[in-house]
Amino acid sequence: CAECDGTAASCQTRSVGLYTESECNSATWNYLGFATRSKSEPEYGRAKIYYTEALSLWPENCGAMAYLTELYLTVGNATMAQETYDRFCE
């Protein structure tokens, strides 16, 4: 992601419309969270760390917010799911 300078030609995440280094890194952490949560033996704690990192790099990452909301619902934390949903893609 270090090559991402804000132009479409420079970034490996350009196919999904992400052109900055922070967006690229955030997307990578988000994908790691999804993969970790989707394993046959999910690691929800680790996935939460990945989603949190994704959001710290790019707070507007709607995908990371959506997946974090799903994670909270999956582990039965309706309060955090609602809080995350309430700020979902503001």
Side-chain angles (χ1 to χ4, degrees):
C1 295
E3 308 82 32
C4 298
D5 65 4
T7 63
S10 69
C11 196
Q12 59 266 45
T13 54
R14 65 184 171 270
S15 65
V16 291
L18 306 176
Y19 307 115
T20 68
E21 185 175 358
S22 62
E23 290 172 338
C24 179
N25 283 320
S26 179
T28 301
W29 285 104
N30 186 35
Y31 296 143
L32 283 169
F34 179 78
T36 302
R37 184 171 59 96
S38 301
K39 295 181 344 179
S40 59
E41 293 185 26
E43 296 180 54
Y44 297 121
R46 181 169 288 178
K48 181 182 175 207
I49 291 168
Y50 293 154
Y51 294 139
T52 302
E53 181 65 21
L55 291 167
S56 76
L57 293 165
W58 179 32
E60 296 83 23
N61 186 335
C62 290
M65 274 194 234
Y67 286 151
L68 184 57
T69 300
E70 286 180 13
L71 181 145
Y72 286 134
L73 289 171
T74 301
V75 299
N77 190 339
T79 301
M80 286 305 297
Q82 186 64 53
E83 286 180 21
T84 305
Y85 178 79
D86 287 346
R87 63 186 176 109
F88 191 77
C89 305
E90 296 177 316

